Amino acid sequence: MSEQIQYSDQNNRLLDFSRKRPVLVVFVLFLLAYSFKILDSFILRLDELLGEAILTKALGFGLVALYIWISKKKLSDIGFHTRNLGKSLLISAVSFIGLYIVAFGAQLISLRAGGENAKLVLAAVDPKTGMAGGFLFAIWLLLANLVNSAMEEGLFRGLMIRHLLLRYSAWGSILFQAGLFALWHLNWPIRHLLDGDANLEQAAFEALALLLSTSIAGIVWGYLYLKTDNLWPAFLAHALNNGIFNVLFFQTSVGMQAGTEFGLFLAIFLMGYLALLLVFRLTAKRLKLPEVTPWGQHGEHRQV
């Protein structure tokens, strides 16, 4: 790091404070972002009108950008840069697209083998609210997911992991932010319970399923970020995940069903996600990609 950068950092009170109290900063950022979510989910309920909780996504990304700007850093300092972009995106694209093909393909074969005349169909549905629409609604869902992926990756992976690395090991940092990422999604079962759309048992089951799935996603996307020092691969994985579950469904005799409604699909999907940890480790090592460094040590990359 140059003397000019060191001087700038020493005269940046927020950056200095964040280095000394990184865990506190992580919790404050999480609570601020969650306050937007509470406003959006329980008071304004824009998702019931628009099909997406767009206020949460927009304000959340604004929070990330504002914090970085006040810290006199750039979005590139948390991983939104072009270094090793081709290699990193290739790892992400091949890994996750391959997993989706296997999961959807295996479930389709299983349904047909059981005598079900099943097929894959494209439709625009927000699984959280049940809202559906045509082509324009599909475009809206996909665009909103891009904003959501940028916000959540910027906050949970880009900012949190870098801050937590100042206090914890790599795995400790990944697990910490994955836990917060799982808690981030609990507004949905709570809302379904309060609205009477689910009883206590159903809401508890939904909460447990969300905690499991989102914590695994947070771990895998966090590890991908750690091993590539680039947020774009995790952003791509996140956007693919949300986008696919918004537009790709199974058509069966009981109607249109999401892949997550089938046990075989879920088993392949979750085990595949965890298996990707080894894939990321081996490919990142082979390609000699740099690993994420702690907050405030931008530019001091190390090979792993």
Side-chain angles (χ1 to χ4, degrees), residues 41 44-52 129 131 191 195:
S41 298
L44 297 178
R45 293 175 174 258
L46 292 181
D47 57 289
E48 294 179 346
L49 176 65
L50 303 174
E52 277 290 340
T129 63
M131 289 186 66
R191 177 166 144 176
D195 288 351

Side-chain angles (χ1 to χ4, degrees), residues 21-220:
R21 299 287 188 272
V23 179
L24 175 60
V25 169
V26 164
F27 276 117
V28 170
L29 289 173
F30 177 77
L31 292 175
L32 285 173
Y34 213 90
S35 68
F36 302 150
K37 197 161 197 177
I38 292 174
L39 174 66
D40 203 357
S41 298
F42 296 98
I43 301 175
L44 297 178
R45 293 175 174 258
L46 292 181
D47 57 289
E48 294 179 346
L49 176 65
L50 303 174
E52 277 290 340
I54 192 63
L55 184 65
T56 299
K57 305 175 189 343
L59 291 180
F61 186 77
L63 174 66
V64 171
L66 178 63
Y67 177 79
I68 293 172
W69 179 73
I70 295 176
S71 298
K72 297 181 181 179
K73 296 297 180 182
K74 302 175 182 177
L75 287 173
S76 60
D77 291 322
I78 63 168
F80 284 121
H81 56 69
T82 58
R83 294 187 297 274
N84 298 305
L85 182 60
K87 295 178 182 179
S88 301
L89 285 179
L90 183 62
I91 294 173
S92 181
V94 172
S95 299
F96 288 102
I97 292 176
L99 176 57
Y100 291 118
I101 291 174
V102 171
F104 276 98
Q107 184 60 60
L108 187 61
I109 292 172
S110 176
L111 287 170
R112 290 183 174 177
E116 183 74 57
N117 186 25
K119 62 180 180 179
L120 290 172
V121 296
L122 293 175
V125 180
D126 180 4
K128 296 184 292 295
T129 63
M131 289 186 66
F135 178 74
L136 291 180
F137 187 59
I139 296 299
W140 165 245
L141 290 178
L142 294 176
L143 289 175
N145 278 327
L146 293 179
V147 179
N148 179 67
S149 299
M151 180 273 288
E152 292 184 347
E153 291 311 309
L155 177 62
F156 289 95
R157 262 61 74 182
L159 283 179
M160 287 191 182
I161 287 180
R162 284 195 185 273
H163 279 72
L164 293 169
L165 283 172
L166 291 169
R167 289 291 181 270
Y168 306 113
S169 66
W171 271 111
S173 301
I174 289 172
L175 293 174
F176 197 132
Q177 62 82 31
L180 292 179
F181 186 61
L183 293 176
W184 171 258
H185 291 84
L186 288 184
N187 63 301
W188 293 112
I190 294 173
R191 177 166 144 176
H192 294 155
L193 177 64
L194 295 177
D195 288 351
D197 296 329
N199 57 36
L200 184 59
E201 183 180 353
Q202 292 169 330
F205 181 80
E206 182 184 4
L208 288 174
L210 275 173
L211 286 172
L212 175 63
S213 60
T214 54
S215 60
I216 289 176
I219 290 170
V220 174

Side-chain angles (χ1 to χ4, degrees), residues 236-259:
L236 175 62
H238 198 152
L240 278 173
N241 180 80
N242 291 7
I244 286 174
F245 288 127
N246 277 154
V247 301
L248 188 59
F249 300 88
F250 291 96
Q251 185 68 52
T252 68
S253 59
V254 299
M256 196 168 63
Q257 296 178 271

Side-chain angles (χ1 to χ4, degrees), residues 221-242:
W221 294 339
Y223 192 72
L224 176 59
Y225 171 55
L226 179 80
K227 287 300 180 181
T228 61
D229 187 38
N230 197 309
L231 264 185
W232 289 115
F235 167 84
L236 175 62
H238 198 152
L240 278 173
N241 180 80
N242 291 7

